[in-house]
Amino acid sequence: MSSNLIPLHFDKNSGELVAKDTRTGYVASFLYTQNTPSLSWTINHNSSTDDFILQVYDTSGNQIIPNEVVVVGINTVRVDFLVAQAGKATIVLFI
């Protein structure tokens, strides 16, 4: 295995994608659901990190690109759109 790859597994109890990287710490996932269309989604992941990868999907499961992603703090991300959106955001957190 390449030294820059991290093995992942899906935790059935928590619903999270998790990994143990002996070099940097842990990787975890967070799923956010926005049921009501909004121009701005405020996502509180409470993971004490601003190091993450974010993907956003509409209610049909199609990936959508936000207008802006703003790190509000180490526990909060704001996702802004030009048109109100409902859907889900998946965040992979490096903690």
Side-chain angles (χ1 to χ4, degrees):
M1 181 183 322
S2 174
S3 63
N4 62 347
L5 298 178
I6 302 169
L8 302 173
H9 76 276
F10 184 75
D11 185 321
K12 293 179 185 176
N13 295 323
S14 69
E16 294 183 337
L17 184 66
V18 282
K20 175 72 168 100
D21 181 346
T22 56
R23 294 170 292 141
T24 60
Y26 290 93
V27 176
S29 66
F30 182 84
L31 178 64
Y32 173 82
T33 301
Q34 178 72 38
N35 293 314
T36 306
S38 180
L39 289 171
S40 182
W41 301 0
T42 300
I43 303 171
N44 296 308
H45 56 76
N46 295 318
S47 296
S48 298
T49 184
D50 57 5
D51 191 9
F52 62 87
I53 298 170
L54 171 84
Q55 290 185 304
V56 182
Y57 301 90
D58 65 16
T59 54
S60 297
N62 299 308
Q63 185 174 7
I64 52 178
I65 307 299
N67 185 55
E68 186 174 27
V69 176
V70 178
V71 176
V72 178
I74 61 171
N75 292 309
T76 307
V77 175
R78 192 183 75 229
V79 181
D80 296 332
F81 303 95
L82 295 176
V83 176
Q85 298 284 346
K88 296 184 179 190
T90 300
I91 305 175
V92 176
L93 301 148
F94 302 95
I95 50 179

